[in-house]
Every structure is written in structure tokens, then in C-alpha cells.
Amino acid sequence: MSGFHAMTTLLTVAAATVLLSGGRCEVAGTDGPAAVASYSLSGQNIEWPCTSTKSVYLDSGLYVAKNVIVTRAQVWGNRAFVLTSRFRSGVPFTVSTVRLECEHRCWPVLSPYPCWALHDEGDPNAIQNAVDIYLDPTGLLWVLDSGLVNTVQQPVRRSQPRIFAIDVKTDKVVKQFDLSGLVCSASRLNYITADYGDDGKAFVYVSDAATRAVIVWEVEANRSFRVVLPKAITHDCTGRRDVLYIALAKGPAAGSGSLYLTYLTSNRMYRIDTCNLRRGCSEGTVADLGPKPEKMVILGTDGRTTLYFRYRGQGDVYAWDTDRPGDGTSFGSDRFTLVRKADDCGRLATHVAPDNQGGVLWILESNFPDYISGAVGCLGANVRLQPLVAQCGK
């Protein structure tokens, strides 16, 4: 885990374009996935079991290439697990994998993960619409399935919300959890993350923006509950369909850490320690960290204490070390470090996440606003997955 601290240090002081790999700078062109400058992920590049299957999907409208967009990514070894939510019709699967070392390299194909059968729309046993994924250090890929498809067109309820856990070492579904008893018709589930206590027991956290709550699932005990957040967390929100971001920062001791929370349109950042969250206690335990300079889009963490974000509508990516010592508070624009300037291609970051070794920090970017407005054209969205590049010295 020491590579994370070294990586964060490089991010904050780098004055040249480098690829971040553990505690060393690695120039593009060397071996391994990080040697490739970027991977273009497109709905045009899908691995089909056979040509007849592709024809059936095309003819029935189950496959519309331009309606596929990748918004989240998690890397384990030479594979990336990516999210292709069913925002629109014609998305054949909502979780897929791409090989980062293959003959396609810069244009890898998307393969349904772990198999086609698990993404059959309308099948009550299949994933209907994955809206977020999180890969934990043990190799479990936690998938949040909202059960609601075609969310930017005509939403259709295919199933109740669920959580799937897939072991990426065996490519098998090892756990499934029904969230129907923890949500209501108004619920709007946004993000999922997983944590381990000092005894090694797993806890999964899910944000429900519409009900101002965090759902907690204690996996081994199969115990679950909702932690309702204070009303103050929404008092300045202006979005009708606001997003509740959650980001987990690990503490120095095993099992310790904090969950950082904020609504997209909120003017303030909040935090709750995971020890309180696991007890279901929110009264008096949610800390108001202060005002945000602007509306923030939370992108992810480095797996330790650093949180990454950008401002709404802007492409520059910033890092915030939540554990940085100071004058009693670590939140504020004077604590933010610019780690990547916006490019000229109109792409905005949607996710930042480390690989499973802590060697490379990856960033996913796309023209997501164009996709949502239906302005991507016949070729579909412009999506890039690449190691995070520090350009602040340019």
C-alpha cells in the first residue's frame, strides 16, 4: 500500500508529463498496460459470441452502438471492468471487461462480464442496469443494479434494486443481495463502495440521493439498514434529480476511515466516520467540513486518503488529500492540487481509480454531456481510459 503515498506525492509535485506507477515515473512506451497512452472504449467494438447473435440484437433493437457509453472503470491486472449503464435502449450488457494487453490495444473490445446470460434484459436473475461498480482489494467486484432501465428515455422497472458480488479471480457471482426492503418508489441509488473492518468483515455502502440516506450492508452477518443523513445536508440543494456522491477514504489503522458525502448542487462537504456508519449512527456524527468553492463532481479516490474531483462543467481534475495536516481542517481550495488540465477534445472525467496493485492510477473521460443530450452522432460517445497524467507543470 506504500505505493499509494508515493503516487500521491508525485501527483502534487510533478512538473512534467509522466505516467504514475507506484513510486516511480514511467515514460510511455514501456511494457505493460500503462505503456499505452490511452484506450478508446466504444459501443462499436463488442465481442459477440457469433455473427447471428449480433444480427438478432441489431434487428430487434437490443443493440444500438451509439447508445453504449462507459462511465466507470476498475482495473485488476491486465483487465479493466467497465460500466455501460442502460441509460438508453439498445445496450446489450451493463458490465463488461476489456483486456489491456491484447492485439487491439488502443481499441479493445467490450465483452459482457462475466457472461452474456447475466445481462439478459427482463430476466429476473440477471443484472438489469448496473449504475455503479466498485472493485475491492480482495478481488470482489461489487455491482449496484438499480433494476430501472432506459433512464434518460422512458424508464422501465425490470427488477428491484440489488447488489451483485463477482469474484474477478474466478469470474463467478459469489453473492447477491436484494435491496427492496431498504428502498422506496422514490429512491434513486447512485454509488456503491465497500469497506473492511479491523476484523476483516466486509461492509457495503450505497447512496440513495432521493431519500437522503446511506444503505449499509454487513455482508457476513447479512444484516442491513439505512442511515438517514441530517436534513442540513440538503438544505441548499437545487437539483430536482440531484446526485449524492460518496467517497471512502481509508484511515491509518486497519478498519478505520471516513465516508465523504456531498450532493452535486450542495454548497458544502460532509464526512461521517465509518465506525459510526457501521453502527447506524448519524445523529451528531456527520461533520460539516465547510463550503465548496464550486459545485463538485466527485471522481473517486486513490484507495487511501486522496480524493479526486472536478468542478461541474469543467475539465481540470484536482486532488484533495483528506489526511493532510494543517490548521484544523483539511478542506478548502488552498488544499486542492491541480493534477490534470482539461484536454481539447471536449471530454470530461467521470471516474478515477487505482489498479489492484496500487501501481497505476487510472482516469476515465468522455463527452458524457453530449451523450445525455443525444448529440454524439452515429459513432457514439468519445471515451478514453488512460493512466492519470500530471500536466500541472505545463
Side-chain angles (χ1 to χ4, degrees):
M1 300 296 288
S2 61
F4 283 116
H5 280 311
M7 180 167 57
T8 301
T9 301
L10 283 171
L11 274 169
T12 58
V13 302
T17 300
V18 296
L19 298 185
L20 304 181
S21 181
R24 64 185 187 280
C25 298
E26 191 169 279
V27 179
T30 56
D31 294 334
V36 178
S38 65
Y39 298 88
S40 294
L41 307 180
S42 170
Q44 304 282 349
N45 298 329
I46 285 180
E47 184 177 39
W48 297 94
C50 59
T51 55
S52 60
T53 299
K54 181 178 180 179
S55 296
V56 169
Y57 272 70
L58 279 169
D59 293 343
S60 63
L62 293 175
Y63 173 49
V64 180
K66 69 176 184 178
N67 287 354
V68 178
I69 185 172
V70 176
T71 57
R72 310 282 281 176
Q74 302 277 268
V75 176
W76 183 280
N78 294 327
R79 290 191 296 173
F81 303 92
V82 302
L83 186 73
T84 50
S85 298
R86 284 180 168 134
F87 294 114
R88 301 178 183 276
S89 59
V91 179
F93 43 80
T94 68
V95 180
S96 56
T97 183
V98 297
R99 300 207 67 88
L100 301 180
E101 289 187 341
C102 64
E103 66 273 16
H104 303 288
R105 294 190 73 80
C106 291
W107 292 86
V109 295
L110 305 178
S111 303
Y113 188 76
C115 61
W116 278 95
L118 196 63
H119 296 275
D120 186 10
E121 187 174 343
D123 183 342
N125 297 313
I127 299 172
Q128 296 305 296
N129 189 20
V131 295
D132 195 23
I133 54 176
Y134 178 80
L135 183 60
D136 76 21
T138 73
L140 288 183
L141 182 70
W142 300 94
V143 179
L144 176 59
D145 177 14
S146 73
L148 192 66
V149 303
N150 304 341
T151 52
V152 302
Q153 293 179 310
Q154 184 65 43
V156 177
R157 171 67 63 188
R158 296 296 191 192
S159 71
Q160 290 300 314
R162 293 167 295 179
I163 297 172
F164 291 80
I166 307 171
D167 189 336
V168 302
K169 301 184 293 297
T170 63
D171 300 330
K172 302 292 185 184
V173 176
V174 295
K175 297 183 186 298
Q176 186 174 332
F177 184 65
D178 187 342
L179 293 170
S180 59
L182 297 163
V183 298
C184 65
S185 59
S187 287
R188 193 169 61 255
L189 306 182
N190 293 145
Y191 294 100
I192 187 170
T193 189
D195 190 22
Y196 287 82
D198 55 6
D199 55 2
K201 294 180 179 178
F203 293 82
V204 177
Y205 311 128
V206 173
S207 65
D208 185 347
T211 64
R212 202 181 73 247
V214 174
I215 296 171
V216 180
W217 175 29
E218 186 179 350
V219 178
E220 185 176 319
N222 200 28
R223 184 174 72 100
S224 58
F225 50 88
R226 289 163 43 84
V227 177
V228 178
L229 302 171
K231 289 183 179 180
I233 200 172
T234 60
H235 84 274
D236 55 0
C237 294
T238 59
R240 184 175 62 86
R241 292 184 59 81
D242 216 332
V243 175
L244 177 56
Y245 294 108
I246 56 174
L248 181 66
K250 305 293 182 63
S256 66
S258 297
L259 194 70
Y260 290 82
L261 317 99
T262 188
Y263 278 89
L264 172 61
T265 66
S266 169
N267 293 322
R268 307 184 77 82
M269 177 68 71
Y270 299 87
R271 183 194 71 225
I272 181 172
D273 291 339
T274 53
C275 60
N276 293 316
L277 198 58
R278 294 168 193 162
R279 297 201 312 263
C281 179
S282 65
E283 186 174 354
T285 64
V286 177
D288 183 344
L289 302 183
K292 297 185 293 190
E294 298 182 46
K295 312 302 184 188
M296 288 179 172
V297 174
I298 306 302
L299 302 174
T301 74
D302 66 353
R304 289 183 64 96
T305 63
T306 300
L307 185 151
Y308 295 87
F309 68 92
R310 62 176 173 82
Y311 296 117
R312 184 169 64 173
Q314 301 180 35
D316 292 350
V317 175
Y318 296 84
W320 167 40
D321 186 352
T322 62
D323 195 43
R324 178 181 167 187
D327 57 1
T329 176
S330 64
F331 184 71
S333 57
D334 60 325
R335 303 304 180 92
F336 304 155
T337 302
L338 176 65
V339 295
R340 178 172 171 79
K341 291 190 66 65
D343 61 25
D344 298 324
C345 300
R347 292 187 297 265
L348 299 176
T350 59
H351 200 194
V352 170
D355 67 4
N356 67 299
Q357 300 297 324
V360 178
L361 194 65
W362 295 83
I363 185 170
L364 186 71
E365 299 172 303
S366 71
N367 57 336
F368 185 71
D370 293 336
Y371 172 88
I372 292 298
S373 65
V376 294
C378 61
L379 294 179
N382 179 1
V383 183
R384 293 288 177 87
L385 175 67
Q386 59 192 356
L388 183 61
V389 178
Q391 303 182 66
C392 44
K394 281 192 169 186

